[in-house]
Amino acid sequence: QQPVQSPQAVILREGEDAVINCSSSKALYSVHWYRQKHGEAPIFLMILLKGGEQKGHDKISASFNEKKQQSSLYLTASQLSYSGTYFCGTELIDSWGKLQFGAGTQVVVTP
Amino acid sequence: GAGVSQSPSNKVTEKGKDVELRCDPISGHTALYWYRQSLGQGLEFLIYFQGNSAPDKSGLPSDRFSAERTGGSVSTLTIQRTQQEDSAVYLCASSRTSGGGQTQYFGPGTRLLVL
């Protein structure tokens, strides 16, 4: 039930773009994206609900393809503060409330 | 307003001892979740309290793990007869309701080390 995230890690220079993917083998109600810095709690970024919407927060945006049960997180014009581990959490249609998290994507943004 | 708080922030214990980890959710949040994060790993779901309904305990790894939530607010996760593989960060989260599509807000976690 755990979603699959890719890539495992990505190294960027400031200003570059990156895409993180999250896919599930089961029908999803929502996808939640979090960023976690070392030694800190995961911080909520955004949630995408069933319906194939796209959302944005500053220069971080995400899409949800309901047909493919996939979500992508887009880091645009990356900043040093974007460094951290990004997790997607998937909520199944038949299991509201409970999130299953992917293994995470480590993002390192260098000057 | 105050976020999710957890205590203790760090706990070192000896193998075989019992430990209790506490979570204080955001005021008014009816849903509460416990997760475990081993070093360098993702978040593993443990248990989910959804208002007055029976908790979803499907993620508890063994019968040494139990949790309760008193008065619909504070929750305690208890690990009995701790083992070295229980060493991890235990994260608690809460959400406003238990319906679908609710944002979960995480606490800072309790770092447990079993010697």
Side-chain angles (χ1 to χ4, degrees):
Chain A
Q1 282 186 337
Q2 188 179 18
V4 176
Q5 273 188 247
S6 63
Q8 282 187 312
V10 59
I11 299 175
L12 302 166
R13 285 202 172 154
E14 243 182 319
E16 290 183 339
D17 303 340
V19 180
I20 301 169
N21 298 303
C22 174
S23 64
S24 172
S25 59
K26 304 222 172 196
L28 299 178
Y29 180 76
S30 69
V31 179
H32 305 226
W33 286 97
Y34 287 82
R35 178 173 63 214
Q36 185 179 34
K37 293 187 182 279
H38 183 69
E40 299 179 8
I43 299 298
F44 172 75
L45 293 176
M46 63 191 77
I47 179 175
L48 299 106
L49 301 178
K50 179 167 121 54
E53 62 177 355
Q54 182 155 355
K55 275 194 174 180
H57 174 69
D58 196 9
K59 291 182 180 174
I60 298 176
S61 62
S63 62
F64 177 22
N65 186 320
E66 186 184 345
K67 288 184 181 177
K68 293 185 178 180
Q69 308 305 328
Q70 290 177 353
S71 178
S72 295
L73 186 74
Y74 307 93
L75 306 180
T76 306
S78 58
Q79 305 169 17
L80 295 176
S81 61
Y82 288 3
S83 292
T85 301
Y86 289 76
F87 292 98
C88 68
T90 52
E91 182 181 23
L92 302 182
I93 281 179
D94 58 2
S95 187
W96 275 11
K98 193 165 125 181
L99 294 183
Q100 297 288 347
F101 283 90
T105 296
Q106 187 177 11
V107 173
V108 176
V109 182
T110 63
Chain B
V4 177
S5 60
Q6 292 185 244
S7 62
S9 53
N10 293 281
K11 177 73 177 178
V12 181
T13 190
E14 293 178 348
K15 179 182 169 181
K17 295 278 177 75
D18 298 351
V19 294
E20 285 189 350
L21 312 179
R22 176 189 167 108
C23 172
D24 211 329
I26 292 172
S27 178
H29 280 197
T30 61
L32 187 148
Y33 316 79
W34 283 97
Y35 295 89
R36 178 170 71 175
Q37 187 173 33
S38 300
L39 189 62
Q41 302 297 310
L43 288 80
E44 175 190 4
F45 167 79
L46 296 178
I47 187 169
Y48 163 33
F49 292 91
Q50 33 191 336
N52 295 324
S53 303
D56 179 340
K57 304 179 181 181
S58 59
L60 294 178
S62 77
D63 59 8
R64 295 186 296 105
F65 288 72
S66 63
E68 63 177 20
R69 189 176 185 194
T70 53
S73 181
V74 171
S75 176
T76 303
L77 177 70
T78 301
I79 309 174
Q80 295 179 310
R81 305 181 303 282
T82 52
Q83 304 294 313
Q84 288 180 333
E85 60 262 29
D86 298 335
S87 297
V89 176
Y90 289 83
L91 291 159
C92 173
S94 70
S95 64
R96 193 183 307 275
T97 72
S98 56
Q102 296 299 309
T103 299
Q104 296 184 21
Y105 298 92
F106 283 84
T110 293
R111 285 156 185 76
L112 176 65
L113 177 61
V114 183
L115 300 176

